[in-house]
Amino acid sequence: MEQRPNPYAANCPTRLVLDRLADKWAVLLLGLLASGPQRFNQLRREVEGLSQKMLSQTLKGLQRDGLIERTVFATAPITVEYALTPLGRTLISPIEALRLWAESHIGEVVAAQAAYDDAGPAVPVMPMKVQNVGAGSPAAR
Amino acid sequence: MEQRPNPYAANCPTRLVLDRLADKWAVLLLGLLASGPQRFNQLRREVEGLSQKMLSQTLKGLQRDGLIERTVFATAPITVEYALTPLGRTLISPIEALRLWAESHIGEVVAAQAAYDDAGPAVPVMPMKVQNVGAGSPAAR
DNA sequence: CTGTATCCAGGAAGATACTG
DNA sequence: CAGTATCTTCCTGGATACAG
């Protein structure tokens, strides 16, 4: 029926991937692993605010998705290395793009937030942008 | 102190932006608005599984970040349009990249998940990749 | 070192009802 | 149509303790 099933249906691939990527720890870890394999506690130390539980959990998820690979070295004590898989490596480009966007536009975002918070609380004399439209309604689709 | 403060510190811009973008609804809505302004209930209908509460909440957040703009038309009943701001428009490219990645690699991800779930539950004869390493430990940094 | 298991508080999100 | 308010439930995620 749906020739062009919109990408916003619940079963859409984009949605599935997004659900996983909508995890800041996952994105952060992928970015970190992009520069080479890392050990468990190494990652733990590098990502500020990441608890051991979340790290373990997130790594497991990424491994399940085939994005990272877990290698155990039978040293004593044991050491474990996490590295991007070839599939995972294909993701670093989009993620890098996101990181670049963040760095170049964070200032504007923060400014917008400040402006919003400034205008919000106050009782408005001219609070919101209102337009009087006669005939030409916006949604005359 | 930190000449190269790692991007994984809690105060890093990337982190701040990521926290917001780590919201699947937000990303989805931005993608939807990339093709033109939309009304409230229009968005609600288009994004499957998105509750009214989450829509309202997410839109407010995006507006606060200066990524979208809310315009009220004084029709009867009232209509409201949401559109990307210039800042928001700069985000569609990275998001599109993500969407494209998702569409081209979803198959591999699903396959990896299946393989993982397949190997996981079973009691392993040769479950995990283990290497015996003598001297050359991995983390000889 | 690399995890897993348990407890527990706080936030996220659905359902529902109501307002302008 | 475009929301806000409230209630309740569920899950996330931190802290802690323990195991291989």
Side-chain angles (χ1 to χ4, degrees):
Chain A
M1 291 301 161
E2 291 275 349
Q3 290 187 326
R4 203 250 324 151
N6 85 340
Y8 300 94
N11 54 349
C12 170
T14 306
R15 282 285 284 270
L16 297 178
V17 172
L18 223 47
D19 281 355
R20 194 141 289 303
L21 258 41
D23 176 352
K24 67 175 175 184
W25 301 129
V27 176
L28 245 17
L29 288 173
L30 288 174
L32 214 40
L33 291 174
S35 53
Q38 311 258 338
R39 302 218 327 264
F40 186 86
N41 279 343
Q42 214 171 345
L43 292 168
R44 178 154 157 54
R45 275 188 298 271
E46 277 175 314
V47 182
E48 198 172 311
L50 174 54
S51 70
Q52 186 181 41
K53 179 184 176 179
M54 287 314 294
L55 175 57
S56 176
Q57 190 174 309
T58 305
L59 287 172
K60 225 183 292 182
L62 290 172
Q63 191 191 351
R64 190 177 105 98
D65 290 342
L67 296 173
I68 68 174
E69 191 180 27
R70 178 181 183 272
T71 308
V72 178
F73 293 89
T75 53
I78 193 177
T79 56
V80 180
E81 234 182 43
Y82 291 91
L84 291 182
T85 60
L87 178 59
R89 244 169 273 132
T90 66
L91 236 186
I92 76 178
S93 167
I95 285 183
E96 189 65 7
L98 224 46
R99 201 183 58 77
L100 287 176
W101 186 93
E103 291 186 354
S104 17
H105 296 283
I106 182 66
E108 296 169 73
V109 170
V110 170
Q113 290 175 348
Y116 184 95
D117 294 344
D118 225 37
V123 175
V125 180
M126 243 201 70
M128 27 179 72
K129 176 179 173 189
V130 177
Q131 298 180 3
N132 254 297
V133 183
S137 333
R141 66 123 84 201
Chain B
M1 306 303 150
E2 293 275 351
Q3 288 187 327
R4 203 243 331 143
N6 86 342
Y8 299 94
N11 55 348
C12 172
T14 306
R15 283 284 285 270
L16 296 178
V17 171
L18 222 47
D19 282 354
R20 193 140 290 304
L21 256 40
D23 176 352
K24 68 175 177 186
W25 300 130
V27 176
L28 244 17
L29 288 173
L30 288 173
L32 213 42
L33 291 175
S35 52
Q38 309 258 339
R39 302 216 328 260
F40 186 86
N41 280 341
Q42 215 172 344
L43 292 168
R44 178 155 157 54
R45 274 186 298 271
E46 279 174 310
V47 182
E48 199 172 311
L50 174 56
S51 70
Q52 186 182 41
K53 180 185 176 179
M54 288 314 295
L55 174 57
S56 177
Q57 190 173 310
T58 304
L59 288 172
K60 228 184 287 184
L62 290 172
Q63 191 192 352
R64 190 177 105 98
D65 290 340
L67 297 173
I68 67 174
E69 190 179 29
R70 178 180 183 273
T71 308
V72 178
F73 292 89
T75 52
I78 196 177
T79 55
V80 179
E81 235 183 41
Y82 290 91
L84 291 183
T85 60
L87 178 59
R89 244 170 271 133
T90 66
L91 236 185
I92 76 178
S93 167
I95 285 183
E96 189 65 7
L98 224 47
R99 201 183 58 77
L100 287 175
W101 186 92
E103 291 186 354
S104 16
H105 297 283
I106 182 67
E108 296 170 71
V109 170
V110 170
Q113 290 175 348
Y116 183 95
D117 294 344
D118 225 36
V123 175
V125 180
M126 245 203 69
M128 28 180 71
K129 176 181 175 186
V130 177
Q131 299 178 4
N132 254 298
V133 183
S137 334
R141 66 126 82 205

